[in-house]
Amino acid sequence: MNSKLENILPINRNQNMKIWKSLLIVLMIVANLAFAQPSFADRPKFSKNPDYIEVTKALKQLSQTKDTQTQVEGLTPEEIKTRTEELTLQKYALETGINWGQCSNQTGNTIAVYGKRPNDEEDEDAVYENGLYFLADGQSTKNNWDCDGIYLPNDVQVENFTSSPNGQGEELTGAAALKILDGTQLVIKRNSDTAAIELNVPTVKVIDSKEANWFIPDISQDLINTRVPNAPSNQS
């Protein structure tokens, strides 16, 4: 009788081990799903991105203009074509998950750019939505760091400027914040003849300080040139 029990016990132990191993695997799978699910649920949809909504609206307006062969105030047919192509690429970038922009400084001076602070979500005492950083000449903001736009000093003008994606806007005067869309690589240059700023991307927008909580001081380019560059950057 004892010998029979001794033979049965190892079998029971083996079966119990297999059961426990199976349960452990199931628990690990359940735990992974429990942690992974919120990440999928919290992932923002591009259709709710304000930039995506604005780009889609502007493309629709430009498409209607082309279909009806009407003229957009201040834009030639060639400029309408250029803007449509630019917006089409930006729309695609947003649809494929690119949620950051990049700013490149080729002005010969230090410029001020806007971007999120490193611990923005944890900083409950933050006064402004975006931080103001300084980008040295010849540098570009770092990949995956979202450059939201640039600051325009009170003594600098933008050449051939319009303040909305569809090309309609007012002439820019005085200090201002210019916002770029996600998926954009903005190159800022200076016209050697006029000293005005030139932007390679036509789809920039003037930020109204009453609508967006951005710091927009009234300062000159000379003062910006005295700042220590501190924007996260790639050496160009």
Side-chain angles (χ1 to χ4, degrees), residues 201-230:
V201 177
T203 52
V204 293
K205 181 180 181 181
V206 176
I207 289 296
D208 187 344
S209 59
K210 296 179 181 178
E211 297 177 0
N213 191 20
W214 291 28
F215 178 54
I216 310 175
D218 188 15
I219 58 177
S220 68
Q221 178 61 53
D222 286 342
L223 184 59
I224 290 178
N225 287 338
T226 67
R227 302 297 93 184
V228 175
N230 64 346

Side-chain angles (χ1 to χ4, degrees), residues 56-72 80 84 166 168:
T56 304
K57 181 180 178 181
L59 272 172
K60 184 178 179 180
Q61 291 175 344
L62 291 175
S63 177
Q64 290 173 346
T65 298
K66 183 179 178 181
D67 293 340
T68 58
Q69 296 184 345
T70 57
Q71 183 69 34
V72 176
I80 292 175
T84 301
N166 62 10
Q168 296 171 307

Side-chain angles (χ1 to χ4, degrees), residues 40-187:
F40 288 118
D42 295 339
R43 185 176 180 179
K45 295 181 178 180
F46 64 82
S47 59
K48 295 182 179 180
N49 185 321
D51 285 352
Y52 185 81
I53 294 171
E54 189 168 2
V55 167
T56 304
K57 181 180 178 181
L59 272 172
K60 184 178 179 180
Q61 291 175 344
L62 291 175
S63 177
Q64 290 173 346
T65 298
K66 183 179 178 181
D67 293 340
T68 58
Q69 296 184 345
T70 57
Q71 183 69 34
V72 176
E73 184 180 353
L75 286 182
T76 65
E78 182 61 32
E79 288 172 331
I80 292 175
K81 180 176 179 294
T82 300
R83 287 179 184 275
T84 301
E85 292 173 349
E86 172 68 25
L87 288 167
T88 299
L89 286 180
Q90 287 180 340
K91 181 173 180 287
Y92 173 76
L94 293 168
E95 289 172 342
T96 53
I98 297 177
N99 58 0
W100 55 279
Q102 187 173 53
C103 298
S104 179
N105 180 13
Q106 299 179 17
T107 65
N109 293 310
T110 297
I111 66 171
V113 300
Y114 290 96
K116 297 292 188 296
R117 290 175 295 277
N119 297 317
D120 189 48
E121 294 181 358
E122 301 176 4
D123 191 357
E124 297 180 356
D125 297 326
V127 178
Y128 297 101
E129 177 185 344
N130 274 331
L132 194 63
Y133 296 83
F134 300 97
L135 184 66
D137 178 48
Q139 290 188 347
S140 299
T141 53
K142 193 174 182 178
N143 292 353
N144 295 311
W145 184 82
D146 188 15
C147 180
D148 282 326
I150 64 170
Y151 168 76
L152 190 69
N154 57 22
D155 55 353
V156 174
Q157 293 182 334
V158 178
E159 196 166 278
N160 300 324
F161 179 80
T162 52
S163 63
S164 64
N166 62 10
Q168 296 171 307
E170 299 178 358
E171 183 179 353
L172 181 62
T173 58
L178 306 182
K179 182 182 185 298
I180 64 173
L181 300 174
D182 288 342
T184 298
Q185 185 182 51
L186 178 68
V187 179

